Amino acid sequence: MLQILVVCGAGLGSSFACQMSVESVLQDIGVKASVDHSDISSAAGTRADIIISGKNFESQFQRYDLPMDLIFLDRLVDKKEIEEKLVPVLKAKGAL
């Protein structure tokens, strides 16, 4: 099953809110995936297929050579933006 990790600075509030929005989008488009949330320092050690985070964390992710797809959002709970950025990645992975 596809693994999606939603990341914010502390791994509590905004990443959890974003996780709920991502799960809602996935349900709307009919894709099953495991979605979890975490803090940014733990994200580099994950085996997720896709990491979703805020645009403000993009420069911090550039320090790591991560093999998974990275999606950066301007608005963490905007389902329209999540769908616009997530659907092409899901199609590329054959999940949609």
Side-chain angles (χ1 to χ4, degrees):
M1 178 180 286
L2 195 65
Q3 304 284 322
I4 300 174
L5 184 66
V6 181
V7 176
C8 71
L12 298 172
S14 58
S15 60
F16 182 60
C18 184
Q19 176 185 346
M20 291 190 294
S21 294
V22 169
E23 289 170 337
S24 177
V25 168
L26 290 170
Q27 184 175 7
D28 290 347
I29 62 176
V31 173
K32 291 189 177 193
S34 172
V35 184
D36 201 358
H37 64 280
S38 175
D39 64 284
I40 195 163
S41 62
S42 301
T46 185
R47 293 183 175 202
D49 300 296
I50 302 168
I51 288 181
I52 299 174
S53 187
K55 195 85 163 169
N56 54 323
F57 292 116
E58 187 170 3
S59 64
Q60 294 183 43
F61 276 96
Q62 291 175 350
R63 294 186 215 163
Y64 307 106
D65 184 25
L66 299 175
M68 67 282 288
D69 290 291
L70 302 173
I71 296 173
F72 297 103
L73 302 171
D74 292 312
R75 297 168 305 277
L76 287 175
V77 295
D78 184 339
K79 293 179 187 176
K80 183 178 177 187
E81 181 184 8
I82 292 169
E83 185 172 344
E84 287 173 356
K85 293 182 176 178
L86 183 58
V87 164
V89 175
L90 293 172
K91 285 182 178 177
K93 291 188 169 298
L96 187 63

